[in-house]
Amino acid sequence: MNNKNCIIAIVAIALSSCSDKKETTDNTDIPQVKNAISDLIIENPPADAKGIFETRKVASPGDIITIKGKVMGSENPLVKGRAIMLLGDPNILTSCDLKPGDACTKPWDVCCDSPEDIKASVLTVQVVDKDGSPVKTGFKGVSGIKELSQLVVTGVVAEGSNKDNLLLNATAIYVNP
């Protein structure tokens, strides 16, 4: 085989292998990945849920906590293709859909709240695999989770969390209907 044919063969193999790869999305059809989130969904909310604002003041890495919150706090609180989402404390933050006359197209971005309040009243929730990495599917659509969904989440405060950045590895999720 001459050099020209080798190059054509390599390019053809590379292109065909690229077309076989599945892009990771919110609606993945890989059952074992989807179940990583679905298996955490519970039917009844835990009774001991606390607000995010107050919990952030006392939570430390390794603590098991249960928080209640609303999917909000940025323009994209549900990370596409990863089991990562932002929850905000609805006792401190007000989504724009609750403000009469507000025509905001992304009411979950809480654009009318101060940056200081947003920072003090949000946390990141993730579902991790056995290696500690976020699973490769999004929360959106799982058990009806979407922007502005109200959730109760139990989990372990992740290593590296601090007063400025609270990360929760979810172990149970209740979706308020």
Side-chain angles (χ1 to χ4, degrees):
M1 190 183 275
N2 65 32
N3 284 344
K4 183 178 177 183
N5 288 339
C6 284
I7 292 172
I8 291 172
I10 291 170
V11 169
I13 290 169
L15 290 175
S16 69
S17 66
C18 288
S19 66
D20 289 342
K21 290 182 182 177
K22 289 186 179 182
E23 184 177 318
T24 305
T25 65
D26 287 329
N27 298 318
T28 183
D29 60 355
I30 304 170
Q32 67 274 18
V33 174
K34 193 68 163 180
N35 286 338
I37 298 173
S38 300
D39 288 348
L40 300 181
I41 303 298
I42 57 176
E43 296 293 321
N44 298 303
D48 58 347
K50 306 278 189 254
I52 295 168
F53 180 78
E54 291 303 320
T55 302
R56 285 181 60 98
K57 294 178 186 178
V58 297
S60 297
D63 289 351
I64 297 172
I65 62 172
T66 300
I67 52 92
K68 54 186 171 185
K70 193 172 180 180
V71 179
M72 64 179 177
S74 74
E75 283 189 29
N76 299 302
L78 296 162
V79 175
K80 186 176 183 178
R82 293 289 183 266
I84 301 172
M85 70 176 148
L86 201 61
L87 286 187
D89 190 331
N91 295 319
I92 306 296
L93 305 174
T94 305
S95 53
C96 299
D97 62 313
L98 300 177
K99 296 182 180 196
D102 192 306
C104 184
T105 59
K106 293 186 178 182
W108 48 86
D109 70 1
V110 295
C111 60
C112 296
D113 289 305
S114 74
E116 295 81 19
D117 284 347
I118 295 170
K119 183 178 177 181
S121 305
V122 298
L123 66 76
T124 303
V125 174
Q126 66 180 2
V127 176
V128 295
D129 61 20
K130 62 181 172 20
D131 297 323
S133 297
V135 296
K136 294 179 181 178
T137 188
F139 276 106
K140 192 167 189 167
V142 178
S143 293
I145 295 174
K146 61 184 179 185
E147 294 87 352
L148 303 178
S149 290
Q150 294 188 29
L151 310 176
V152 178
V153 181
T154 298
V156 178
V157 177
E159 291 300 319
S161 291
N162 57 48
K163 67 179 184 77
D164 294 325
N165 183 27
L166 187 60
L167 179 61
L168 185 63
N169 293 333
T171 57
I173 301 169
Y174 171 76
V175 182
N176 194 356

